[in-house]
Amino acid sequence: MLKAVILIGGPQKGTRFRPLSFEVPKPLFPVAGVPMIQHHIEACAQVPGMQEILLIGFYQPDEPLTRFLEAAQQEFNLPIRYLQEFAPLGTGGGLYHFRDQILAGSPEAFFVLNADVCSDFPLSAMLDVHRHQPHPFLLLGTTANRTQSLNYGCIVENPQTHEVLHYVEKPSTFVSDIINCGIYLFSPEALKPLRDVFQRNQQDGQLEDSSGLWPGAGTIRLEQDVFSALAGQGQIYVHLTDGIWSQIKSAGSALYASRLYLSQYQLTHPERLAKHTPGGPRIRGNVYIHPTAKVAPSAVLGPNVSIGEGVTIGEGVRLRESIVLHGATLQEHTCVLHSIVGWGSTVGRWARVEVPPMTPIPTTPEPTWTVRACSRTGSCCLPSLYAAASGSLPRCSS
């Protein structure tokens, strides 16, 4: 029996993702046509023996989240529950706080996945490694160049045994080109070190606060408090993957993740990719079009385009490397490149929204425009980053 835990964070997190997270909780932001965490749930549901999926975070259980969970349970025929933290508890605090829920039914192991990562999720391969040689902690790792590695948790491994000998979260100097993917497989014994951290936090807090329980005792950082402390003690191992992976921290990284998932659909969900048909729009490369979207036959879409629910694409529109969110309208002969068009927005006739293409580093914010509200019907100038953040666009200069 197996379980999975998806750490979805909360509204105080993901500030680099604004203004996109103002409209919908970040875990529900559509990437390649489906909510971000649906990719995680799909991967977990395919693992044989998966009995339950738990979401842990401190979002309020509002209507969009509740509706998503209900739909996901029906689609995947699995219990999927949301456990709300009483306060932000860090990447490990929620696991310890809800340990009884996680261990209910005596699972042999449980996956832990951060919601803001894009991956092909090689969970079955991780499970095979764990069953061959069980250890409390198994981390998924991948390689990065020297510059990129400074933005992640860095892992020094024993190349023969794959034991984690040293772990540093976001080091100031180069440590290793192996980085932490934020995807783990834990045995039930992994919760014991979390208990030790909780008790140590409690003791440290009581030295400063004689009133009793220190409110911060439940905050546990998996990376600094557990991985760094236990590295080299034979408890943490790493499984390396050469599959797709990136973080989703900003609008630019959401576009990059959408590109990766759309390419992955060739293998996993070919039915989600639009195909060129007589009388339909011209499709170039990987494109997702929601069934309710209305696309003019003279439009040219792709590569790497995702079009959401209820979108209207006018005649002569050119879309490339972009996400168009639900209810948006692109009027005739609009050109949108490397951008995200926000919910219910209108981009006027002959408008052009473009950012120079960049080689993405997933955790580096990119100058990707987020069009949130544009109802003008003439040529318009590029929206500024301030305009994207504030929800207003500059007046056309023409």
Side-chain angles (χ1 to χ4, degrees), residues 11 62 66 82 114 146 168 234 253 261 272 281 292 325 335 356 361 388:
D62 56 7
T66 302
Y82 174 54
N114 285 312
R146 293 176 68 95
V168 183
S253 59
Y261 278 135
R272 290 180 181 171
T292 62
L325 299 174
C335 180
I361 298 175

Side-chain angles (χ1 to χ4, degrees), residues 234-247:
Q235 298 191 57
I236 309 177
Y237 286 73
V238 61
H239 172 69
L240 293 178
T241 178
D242 57 1
I244 65 169
W245 183 85
S246 75
Q247 282 188 321

Side-chain angles (χ1 to χ4, degrees), residues 1-4 44 47-54 78-79 81 99-111 127 130-131 185-188:
M1 172 187 174
L2 300 165
K3 291 192 179 186
C44 293
V47 178
M50 184 63 63
Q51 294 297 313
E52 186 178 39
I53 299 174
L54 302 174
L78 265 178
R81 295 189 292 136
R99 59 194 180 279
D100 292 339
Q101 304 265 21
I102 295 171
L103 297 181
S106 302
E108 64 169 295
F110 58 94
F111 292 96
L127 184 60
H130 172 78
R131 285 175 171 168
L185 180 58
F186 293 169
S187 68

Side-chain angles (χ1 to χ4, degrees), residues 49 66 166 172 219 227 238 257 270 273 295 309 336 346 361 385:
T66 302
H166 189 51
S172 56
T219 302
F227 298 160
V238 61
L273 294 175
V295 183
E309 179 181 358
V336 178
T346 298
I361 298 175
L385 288 176

Side-chain angles (χ1 to χ4, degrees), residues 71-139:
Q73 286 191 89
Q74 292 181 357
E75 179 176 355
F76 300 105
N77 196 28
L78 265 178
I80 304 174
R81 295 189 292 136
Y82 174 54
L83 305 176
Q84 184 184 2
E85 298 173 342
F86 61 89
L89 296 178
T91 51
L95 297 175
Y96 182 71
H97 183 72
F98 293 110
R99 59 194 180 279
D100 292 339
Q101 304 265 21
I102 295 171
L103 297 181
S106 302
E108 64 169 295
F110 58 94
F111 292 96
V112 178
L113 302 86
N114 285 312
D116 59 354
V117 298
C118 159
S119 175
D120 53 3
F121 299 104
L123 305 184
S124 294
M126 295 179 69
L127 184 60
D128 290 342
V129 171
H130 172 78
R131 285 175 171 168
H132 177 70
Q133 195 172 14
H135 296 286
F137 301 91
L138 179 64
L139 283 54

